[in-house]
Amino acid sequence: MSGIAGWIDHARDLRRERPTLLAMTAALAQRGPDGEQLWLGEQAGLGTRWSDADGTGSPQQPWEYRHDGRTVLAATVTGVLYDTDALRGELGLTEPVTQAELVGRAWLRWGEDFAAHLDGAFAVALWNERERELVLARDRLGNQPLFYYPLAAGVLYGSERKAILAHPAVEPVIDADGLRELFSYAGTEGHGILKGFHQVAPGTVLRCTPNGRTTHRYWQLTAQEHTDSKADTVARVRDLLSASVTRTLGTGAVPGIMLSGGIDSSAVTALAHQALARRGGGPVRTFTVSFGGAEDFKQDEIWGSPDAPFVQSVVRHLGTEHTDLVLDTADIIDPAVRAAVLRAKDVPSPLGNMNTSLYLLCRAVREHVGSVLLGEIADAVFGGFAWVHNKELVEAPTLPWVAMARFGGGRHGLGGDLLAPDLLDKLDLNAYCGDAYTSSMRKVPRLDGESGQDLRMREITYFHLTRWLETLLSHDESLGSATGLATRMPFCDWRLVQYAYNVPWDLKSFGGQEKALLRAAVADLLPDDVVNRAKSPYPVTQDPAYGHALCDGMTALLADPAAPAAPLADTAGVRALIDDPSVLDSGMRAWVARANVEMLLGLNDWLRRYGVRVEL
């Protein structure tokens, strides 16, 4: 695990700017607590922070290629590359080399097509001295974040916004467009939320030269006719997922697995158990988060069953070495933890105690292992979200998660209901979500003549695999990285995603069961109760004390004359929630209400801690 940051300037000598580059890389210290390295040229400075979580030592980057005594190329990479032996073979290398050298030599061999030869979860920054150009690239699905900020004579970049904000030329400002993106959770490709910030799009190579910027899309989803039988489709999914799990396990220190007892994480656990057994490894290490008082679990329209019984079923069946982290309300409302989560994510989030509990779980897991496998994005790939199985929500002409929020009583985006009426009029979040929907609809890869349910579910899946992933993947990656824990996601394999994208809906959900295809692919590896467990999202506390704590936070916000978010808030709406905290307890209405409160409180903390200026 590591982080990268850098500065390109065609109008000044950056060899004199070492302190600024060090400040930028120091902002990424949580990603790389074990060391930092810089490469400085006249017009370019590349930096990296690195972690020795897997015990392999310094990554020896930036990597520099010199010819005739002169620098030709400097290369950095963050994340992880898979199948490096095959890549070495393509490059004609006989000895193991660092990931940064592999990336650099791939560029020297293939130019802007180099990223198509890389396999993994990565973000890359290269300085091409001959052409005086910066090259930025991101993996196919966007596992690793990479932000950039254009300057008059160059560009800044970093794994996180905070690295760019460490540069003295950058002021943290959010304008109306940034607020729209923030309060819609739209996942707009390339959007950086803060004014002037951008993000390299997944599957894209960005080239920055003195004459401007160009992009090269080296991978994207394509529509292809699916001709496999049901049995062959099930077998193909099993093979693809099994291969991906084996790749993400790696050959070094064995990662742990976050296990919820749902089909997604259980499938990863079972296939990892199988892979480790083939190579004579020890038992899989699994980790689960739960909340105090879980024995009082109440079923509602979102959370259908507690995780614990199903987790234990998997643990017994596979014989995993299991650790259970039990949190109480005091843990997830701890101001220090909430501040750490905000710093990890750089922007407020509507996910509330999902953020704090995942952060605490990552921190606890890091005491045992350096990396962890997650079952994330299986819902996006195989159609597991609740809104996918509600005809009214499927047909809604807006982002699916925004439609879900409306179903739970939300009125403005996702988390925007407590903004002041005049601000909501200016932002018009519903129009922004509608425009985002229309924009994506124009881009959906379709088959000629495709119609009906198959077409509509393809469109919904496209939303999930593009916009939703742009928010989800950064959520897990940033919280893990903040604790020094590298997160790996086997369902993010581009071959699996591409294949599943073209599977007809009746093969994904045969028998009327959500994610039936995935369940069938691993049914022989897991207990029946786990295979047939209905979807239940990541757990949240149902303790009423959590809602009361949120109300206390809102009361403090209204009482604080210096609260930066107070002028942006709907005071009457806030007071109504304070007077009736029961709406924050559980269920769909609570999910929406909590999102509204978390966004307002998070916005207040963000504006204050980061010194963000609102520009409307």
Side-chain angles (χ1 to χ4, degrees):
M1 191 190 73
S2 61
I4 56 177
W7 177 12
I8 308 304
D9 199 311
H10 301 289
R12 64 199 303 169
D13 188 345
L14 294 187
R15 291 172 294 187
R16 302 174 182 175
E17 302 291 345
R18 186 178 184 86
T20 300
L21 265 297
L22 285 173
M24 294 176 67
T25 56
L28 301 174
Q30 289 174 301
R31 283 180 167 269
D34 296 322
E36 66 183 352
Q37 292 172 303
L38 296 181
W39 178 90
L40 288 173
E42 184 175 351
Q43 296 181 342
L46 280 64
T48 181
R49 295 284 312 198
W50 57 273
S51 168
D52 192 23
D54 58 2
T56 57
S58 167
Q60 298 178 349
Q61 62 168 325
W63 175 76
E64 182 182 26
Y65 177 71
R66 298 175 68 86
H67 182 69
D68 290 339
R70 295 184 178 183
T71 298
V72 174
L73 187 78
T76 59
V77 59
T78 183
V80 59
L81 298 180
Y82 304 130
D83 293 337
T84 54
D85 287 347
L87 180 57
R88 282 205 335 265
E90 285 188 83
L91 293 169
L93 301 174
T94 58
E95 299 294 329
V97 297
T98 65
Q99 290 195 150
E101 182 171 347
L102 281 174
V103 166
R105 291 192 180 280
W107 169 264
L108 292 170
R109 174 77 174 273
W110 295 297
E112 71 175 6
D113 291 328
F114 82 109
H117 294 263
L118 307 181
D119 190 11
F122 58 84
V124 169
L126 307 169
W127 171 247
N128 181 351
E129 180 74 17
R130 287 174 174 168
E131 302 297 330
R132 295 191 303 151
E133 71 172 336
L134 171 71
V135 180
L136 301 176
R138 202 161 161 225
D139 66 77
R140 291 166 178 80
L141 290 169
N143 286 266
Q144 288 290 313
L146 186 55
F147 296 91
Y148 67 97
Y149 185 97
L151 300 170
V155 65
L156 305 170
Y157 70 87
S159 294
E160 298 178 9
R161 298 175 186 87
K162 62 175 65 70
I164 297 171
L165 288 170
H167 192 283
V170 181
E171 179 187 3
V173 176
I174 188 166
D175 58 14
D177 185 64
L179 287 171
R180 292 183 185 105
E181 183 69 18
L182 189 63
F183 281 90
S184 65
Y185 225 56
T188 301
E189 183 176 279
H191 207 299
I193 296 181
L194 286 171
K195 187 177 181 180
F197 282 67
H198 306 271
Q199 187 165 196
V200 178
T204 297
V205 174
L206 174 70
R207 303 176 72 169
C208 306
T209 73
N211 298 319
R213 298 187 301 277
T214 60
T215 59
H216 166 62
R217 194 69 177 248
Y218 71 89
W219 185 85
Q220 58 188 337
L221 287 166
T222 58
Q224 300 170 4
E225 185 178 0
H226 185 82
T227 58
D228 290 348
S229 67
K230 177 180 175 181
D232 288 344
T233 301
V234 170
R236 181 65 173 151
V237 167
R238 168 68 164 267
D239 289 345
L240 288 168
L241 183 57
S242 179
S244 181
V245 169
T246 300
R247 273 190 295 273
T248 52
L249 280 173
T251 57
V254 178
I257 300 176
M258 289 190 180
L259 175 63
S260 70
I263 190 62
D264 310 341
S265 62
S266 298
V268 171
T269 303
L271 289 168
H273 172 79
Q274 215 180 40
L276 289 175
R278 284 196 298 268
R279 70 189 202 194
V284 173
R285 301 195 67 174
T286 52
F287 302 86
T288 295
V289 65
S290 60
F291 296 95
E295 64 276 5
D296 299 322
F297 176 86
K298 298 175 183 176
Q299 182 178 351
D300 59 39
E301 64 269 47
I302 299 181
W303 288 272
S305 58
D307 287 346
F310 301 95
V311 167
Q312 287 305 313
S313 184
V314 175
V315 169
R316 287 192 301 269
H317 187 76
L318 298 176
T320 74
E321 184 180 329
H322 186 68
T323 301
D324 189 19
L325 175 66
V326 181
L327 303 175
D328 58 29
T329 300
D331 295 318
I332 58 178
I333 65 172
D334 183 340
V337 173
R338 291 175 67 87
V341 168
L342 180 60
R343 176 164 177 75
K345 296 179 70 65
D346 279 341
V347 293
S349 164
L351 300 181
N353 70 79
M354 292 183 182
N355 288 328
T356 48
S357 62
L358 181 57
Y359 173 83
L360 290 168
L361 177 58
C362 288
R363 192 172 70 180
V365 171
R366 181 62 187 89
E367 296 177 3
H368 302 274
V369 295
S371 59
V372 67
L373 307 188
L374 284 74
E376 288 286 27
I377 93 153
D379 287 325
V381 175
F382 293 101
F385 294 114
W387 54 71
V388 173
H389 303 276
N390 180 309
K391 189 175 188 302
E392 178 183 346
L393 301 183
V394 165
E395 297 299 329
T398 189
L399 303 173
W401 44 98
V402 172
M404 183 76 164
R406 290 180 186 172
F407 189 70
R411 303 183 309 278
H412 304 282
L414 181 57
D417 290 356
L418 293 180
L419 295 177
D422 60 336
L423 177 57
L424 286 172
D425 287 343
K426 182 178 183 65
L427 298 181
D428 198 352
L429 293 173
N430 290 330
Y432 185 80
C433 294
D435 290 345
Y437 170 86
T438 301
S439 175
S440 284
M441 285 288 284
R442 288 195 294 263
K443 300 175 183 177
V444 177
R446 303 171 172 87
L447 293 174
D448 291 341
E450 193 171 27
S451 62
Q453 184 183 52
D454 279 340
L455 174 59
R456 186 54 181 162
M457 301 318 281
R458 183 189 290 278
E459 293 166 348
I460 295 293
T461 300
Y462 183 79
F463 282 108
H464 294 157
L465 294 175
T466 52
R467 290 182 174 273
W468 184 255
L469 256 59
E470 195 68 333
T471 61
L472 177 66
L473 294 179
S474 62
H475 164 72
D476 294 312
E477 198 276 341
S478 62
L479 293 175
S481 294
T483 67
L485 183 70
T487 54
R488 302 177 187 175
M489 305 183 193
F491 284 102
C492 277
D493 180 78
W494 61 272
R495 288 152 290 231
L496 174 64
V497 170
Q498 170 64 32
Y499 182 79
Y501 179 69
N502 288 292
V503 174
W505 183 247
D506 61 353
L507 279 180
K508 286 184 180 176
S509 58
F510 53 81
Q513 187 177 39
E514 45 90 9
K515 289 187 290 193
L517 175 56
L518 174 60
R519 296 174 192 277
V522 295
D524 61 316
L525 302 178
L526 293 166
D528 288 344
D529 61 334
V530 174
V531 171
N532 294 311
R533 183 192 181 191
K535 168 69 181 175
S536 193
Y538 184 86
V540 299
T541 181
Q542 294 184 325
D543 185 356
Y546 183 72
H548 288 288
L550 293 180
C551 289
D552 290 344
M554 290 192 293
T555 299
L557 186 152
L558 293 183
D560 181 1
L568 308 176
D570 175 9
T571 302
V574 170
R575 292 194 185 283
L577 264 179
I578 293 172
D579 292 340
D580 183 18
S582 64
V583 73
L584 298 167
D585 288 351
S586 64
M588 177 68 73
R589 289 180 65 233
W591 176 71
V592 174
R594 286 183 179 186
N596 291 325
V597 176
E598 292 286 1
M599 281 301 291
L600 183 60
L601 295 179
L603 180 67
N604 192 61
D605 288 345
W606 186 54
L607 297 178
R608 173 172 281 154
R609 292 179 184 275
Y610 277 70
V612 178
R613 178 167 59 86
V614 179
E615 185 180 276
L616 296 173

